[in-house]
């Protein structure tokens, strides 16, 4: 049942029209910010939250920092207050963060006071790169000087800098976290694509829709192969490489330039779920296709 749900979710994502995705959002301070990939640009999943000390008198839950900015004032409880020194980690699922021309990341901090946060990004949620501090009216960050041009990031960590201890809501108030520099991220469950242990693509109609969508986006493509941790690390790396190559071949055979496609074999090194359960292992066996539009 879960498999079917994940697959339908994937179909929904590929059926959204790319040409209509770019969108402008209110920045919470009276201005506007444009996101080239529209609604998918925003953080999707809560990884962890440790509320600061002192905490707000009433917290509205860290999940309020996910998805599109939706705070319109009027004391709506649609944001997350970090508390004094609080720390929030979120993850992008249907998009990734990448460096484009100009600012790449935007933190929607609401309220009359500017309460800065320190911002960190990570590829896999373990090693963090400091990319600066929001504040002084600037909630946007350009990551270019901290990363390689082809790097992609899926995790963002923000930490309240302990500026304001007083009041009922100490710490920054966060409505949303969005990647202006954003790539599409298509996550495919390996069991749909391949037989166990094999790297020969099954004949699946839906792959045609995905290929069409990737062509429409017209950008640079990274195909990542991932496995669970059953078997040796070396054999898993080889399997993930062969599977990534099979997807690359599919794309090239359908007319996409080979020079625009990079493959990466992660093997078992970058799990997204717990390898000690069958459900977790199934989520870890995957191919992720990242497509960064060439014009943003
Ligand atoms: Ca998203
Ligand atoms: Ca940039």
């Amino acid at each position: 049942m879960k498999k079917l749900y994940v697959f339908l979710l994937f179909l929904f994502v590929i059926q959204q029209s790319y040409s209509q995705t770019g969108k402008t959002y209110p920045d919470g301070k009276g201005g506007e910010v444009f996101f080239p990939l529209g609604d998918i640009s925003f953080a999707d999943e809560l990884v962890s939250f440790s509320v600061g000390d002192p905490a707000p008198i009433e917290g509205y839950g860290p999940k309020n920092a996910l998805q599109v900015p939706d705070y319109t004032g009027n004391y709506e409880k649609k944001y997350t207050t970090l508390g004094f020194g609080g720390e929030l980690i979120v993850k992008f699922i249907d998009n990734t963060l990448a460096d484009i021309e100009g600012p790449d990341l935007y933190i929607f901090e609401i309220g009359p006071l500017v309460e800065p946060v320190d911002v960190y990004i990570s590829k896999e949620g373990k090693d963090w790169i400091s990319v600066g501090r929001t504040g002084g009216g600037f909630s946007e960050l350009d990551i270019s000087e901290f990363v390689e041009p082809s790097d992609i990031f899926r995790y963002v960590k923000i930490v309240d800098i302990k500026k304001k201890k007083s009041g009922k809501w100490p710490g920054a108030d966060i409505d949303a976290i969005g990647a202006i520099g954003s790539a599409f991220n298509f996550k495919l469950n390996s069991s749909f694509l391949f037989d166990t242990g094999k790297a020969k693509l099954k004949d699946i109609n839906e792959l045609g829709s995905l290929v069409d969508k990737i062509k429409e986006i017209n950008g640079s493509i990274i195909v990542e192969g991932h496995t669970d941790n059953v078997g040796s690390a070396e054999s898993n790396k080889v399997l993930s490489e062969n599977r990534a190559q099979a997807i690359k071949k599919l794309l090239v055979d359908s007319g996409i330039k080979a020079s625009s496609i990079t493959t990466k074999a992660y093997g078992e090194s970058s799990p997204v779920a717990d390898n000690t359960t069958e459900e977790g292992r199934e989520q870890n066996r995957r191919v992720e296709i990242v497509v960064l539009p060439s014009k943003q």
Side-chain angles (χ1 to χ4, degrees):
M1 203 53 212
K2 172 127 190 173
K3 261 192 205 177
L4 181 66
Y5 169 73
V6 171
F7 195 51
L8 290 175
L9 191 67
F10 157 71
L11 283 179
F12 173 73
V13 171
I14 66 172
Q15 279 162 5
Q16 290 172 317
S17 166
Y18 168 53
S19 53
Q20 294 163 6
T21 44
K23 217 166 143 182
T24 298
Y25 301 84
D27 68 1
K29 309 273 185 201
E32 289 184 326
V33 205
F34 180 72
F35 283 76
L37 300 196
D39 289 355
I40 71 162
S41 309
F42 299 89
D44 299 287
E45 194 175 277
L46 174 68
V47 176
S48 67
F49 177 52
S50 76
V51 70
D53 181 16
I57 52 146
E58 186 184 3
Y60 305 143
K63 288 192 171 179
N64 281 303
L66 299 178
Q67 303 301 344
V68 299
D70 57 358
Y71 181 77
T72 58
N74 303 319
Y75 304 100
E76 288 179 305
K77 298 177 178 179
K78 291 182 171 175
Y79 58 92
T80 301
T81 298
L82 296 183
F84 191 70
E87 177 190 293
L88 177 71
I89 300 178
V90 294
K91 184 179 182 187
F92 297 111
I93 303 283
D94 56 7
N95 66 306
T96 65
L97 168 68
D99 177 35
I100 60 166
E101 194 70 34
D104 310 299
L105 185 62
Y106 198 97
I107 312 297
F108 288 78
E109 205 269 312
I110 58 115
L113 294 165
V114 175
E115 292 172 289
V117 291
D118 283 329
V119 183
Y120 306 82
I121 60 176
S122 174
K123 294 176 184 177
E124 72 310 276
K126 283 187 283 246
D127 302 322
W128 295 94
I129 299 171
S130 169
V131 294
R133 175 175 285 188
T134 62
F138 293 103
S139 299
E140 60 187 29
L141 295 147
D142 188 338
I143 64 172
S144 62
E145 63 178 292
F146 309 104
V147 307
E148 297 296 322
S150 62
D151 284 351
I152 55 162
F153 297 88
R154 292 192 168 89
Y155 295 84
V156 175
K157 172 165 75 178
I158 59 173
V159 183
D160 177 70
I161 69 155
K162 300 188 173 180
K163 187 182 172 198
K164 181 174 154 270
K165 196 170 191 172
S166 58
K168 293 174 174 175
W169 282 270
D173 306 303
I174 307 298
D175 181 20
I177 297 171
I180 301 169
S182 220
F184 289 88
N185 189 53
F186 303 107
K187 184 174 159 189
L188 307 176
N189 194 313
S190 288
S191 60
F192 286 111
L193 305 170
F194 309 99
D195 289 325
T196 307
K198 299 288 192 301
K200 185 181 180 299
L201 266 176
K202 292 183 196 169
D203 191 10
I204 311 160
N205 283 336
E206 286 78 4
L207 279 178
S209 328
L210 174 65
V211 171
D212 289 346
K213 170 102 182 175
I214 291 172
K215 279 181 162 173
E216 185 196 355
I217 298 167
N218 181 29
S220 50
I221 300 165
I222 300 167
V223 182
E224 300 180 349
H226 298 271
T227 67
D228 60 23
N229 70 347
V230 178
S232 75
E234 189 47 40
S235 66
N236 283 331
K237 192 161 167 75
V238 171
L239 181 63
S240 68
E241 171 67 25
N242 291 341
R243 286 179 166 177
Q245 289 294 345
I247 295 287
K248 177 177 178 175
K249 183 172 185 306
L250 172 78
L251 298 174
V252 171
D253 288 349
S254 60
I256 295 174
K257 266 192 301 191
S259 61
S260 65
I261 308 171
T262 310
T263 59
K264 288 187 178 174
Y266 284 91
E268 62 188 55
S269 68
S270 190
V272 288
D274 182 359
N275 264 316
T276 63
T277 69
E278 174 46 36
E279 199 194 357
R281 287 192 294 275
E282 166 153 0
Q283 284 189 54
N284 290 333
R285 296 189 291 266
R286 69 200 192 277
V287 173
E288 301 208 34
I289 306 175
V290 177
V291 191
L292 182 66
S294 42
K295 283 184 208 150
Q296 289 206 358

